Amino acid sequence: MIKDKTFEFKNGGDPDVASAVAAIRSLLEFLRRDQSETILGLRENMTQAIRRLEETDSSVAVSSGGELFLRFISLTSLEHPDLSQCKNVMIERGELFLKKISLSRGKVGKLCHTFIKDGAKILTHSSSRVVLKVLENAAADNKRFTVYVTESQPDSAGKRMAQKLRKLNIPVMVVLDAAVGYIMEKVDLVIVGAEGVVESGGVINKIGTYQMAVCSKAHNKPFYVVAESFKFVRLYPLNQQDVPDRFKYTADILKTVKDLNQEHPMIDYTPPSLITLLFTDLGVLTPSAVSDELIKLYL
Amino acid sequence: MPGADKETDLSERIESFLSELKRCGSGAGSLRGSAETARETTALLRRITAQARWGNAGELMEIIRKEGRRMTAAQPSETTVGNMIRRVLKIIREEYARSRGSSEETDQQESLHKLLTSGGSSEDNFRQHFTHLKANVIEAINELLTELEGTTDNISMQALEHIHSNEVIMTIGRSRTVEAFLKDAARKRKFHVIVAECAPFCQGHEMATSLCKEDIETTVIPDAAIFAVMSRVNKVIIGTQTVLANGGLRAVNGTHTLALAAKHHSTPLIVCAPMFKLSPQLVILLYKNYFFVLILSKVNAHCPVFDYVPPELITLFISNIGGNAPSYIYRLMSELYHPEDHEL
């Protein structure tokens, strides 16, 4: 049943919705239909549902959305020990939470576009809806700028991003992933999205982001990350190997392939030392401020 | 009528303050240094609280915001004015929350936790009237003024921990905070100071003269010699005009060069800045502050007044509340200002 719901929300539904938001929406629906008698039973059902969701879509965002939802349940159940009352409060708060986080992309867009100056040349990686929103806001502000997008193999997501930007009348050029070092001297700033923001203040994003960050550091260009706050995840990777396998590869590959060493990972980890600023709906944060936010939530 | 007199008196004072601010940009006004500006701004805000007509906290905040916007527009490069206004707005919010008896002071910031647990609109629009609010706010502003008076002393008290005997310290231009810092250490330690003169106004010369009066061995060097001399320097101690939200600095021109030279030689760079210089802004338009110097009749020289120094080049911030790393500035800022006041 949960699988039908997720398919309904993700494939059939709005492609503009972030995967974490779709996951949380389906979990909320699951919560509504849940029949358990105790809060512990409810939590167990939720955990199972989240696991099923991760089997369908193994991205970091879904995992962070799921964990946030579990946290949400625990916090609410602490305040209202009676199950039926608790459920009503949860559903009400869940709706409010959903409403707030669907607005977060707009908030990020508003914060970031002031950093784009007239005549700027921006480099971005792969296809990110948040970066698109930021560039949309900047264009609406009558700023003139050019965008370079990396192709981002293996799924050529960069080409899709370029199409969307062309529709907004923003001059855009697609470059090879290998051309990042070549193009870095021309650009003024780098803006990327994130699939997950980790505790250290680093980000997990499409493969190739780390490369871009190292290059921009070498050329002294600011490297900005735009992400909504529900992408904050409780991971602390120290290097690329530390990122769990379940995030690196798509769900289908995890299920079918025996030797993961032969597969190419879809994401990489960018350490906080390479990131200049993070733009989130909680404000503009330095990488050191991210762990503060996570502590406030989980402690 | 006494009420009308108070109002005209208040608006007169505000106007005279605004004209002082406009003049201090050209160096002609009586407001010398950010400490005085901060004190004058806070005193004026206290007067506004006492004399303006307002019924509840929301109205007071509106009045202060309105006057605040005028003040920052009068002299955009003087960021302490904006900082003090934001401090006072935070004071009003805190006093209001305390009068309501709620513990909301800790929950002021947006956070993931708040997103998850807030049920329904807990929107506080500050419309409730409290009789003691005025007295409480004025008392809190008085505390702020006392804090402002003591900032230079608090910073100087930490001097002995950072300056050791027979050290060579480099500084640039003239900063009253650094001057007091060095003079305090000189009472007990013997050390050598190298001052970069900081062309074209050469304020370093005044700094050197002032330090010499306290029997501190001082050397003045031209800005071009900074890199050459840096290998002999143990520490660099500088002041700044503003501390930005990411831990970077907006300081007198030449500071970025100094910071890069210090980084190259792995020399620690210490910034002495009182808390009222901390600004929640990240991007301050730098290219508007220029001086034009006429050398020959056909040559114009553009001279930027301020430099941006990125946070990676700074080792330590010494403020009136102690020493902090640049990566911690965001935390200090969240304690001083409310996020909704970042934009006045």
Side-chain angles (χ1 to χ4, degrees), chain B residues 99-118:
Chain B
S99 304
R100 266 172 118 228
S102 50
S103 60
E104 276 174 37
E105 335 172 5
T106 43
D107 282 316
Q108 297 276 1
Q109 312 286 348
E110 273 287 333
S111 75
L112 274 179
H113 187 102
K114 230 182 113 188
L115 272 182
L116 285 184
T117 54
S118 61

Side-chain angles (χ1 to χ4, degrees), chain A residues 68 72 75 93 96-97 100 115 117 229 232 277 282 284 286 288-289 292-293 296-297, chain B residues 109-120 245-246 282-283 287 312 327 330-331:
Chain A
L68 214 59
F72 162 64
L75 286 173
R93 281 197 191 167
L96 194 65
F97 180 51
K100 277 196 201 164
F115 280 71
K117 302 205 172 45
S229 59
F232 284 19
L277 285 174
L282 303 172
V284 184
T286 50
S288 28
D292 235 18
E293 284 300 327
K296 271 193 245 169
L297 173 66
Chain B
Q109 312 286 348
E110 273 287 333
S111 75
L112 274 179
H113 187 102
K114 230 182 113 188
L115 272 182
L116 285 184
T117 54
S118 61
N246 62 347
L282 279 163
V283 176
Y287 41 87
E312 300 84 65
S327 54
Y330 76 91
R331 189 57 186 273

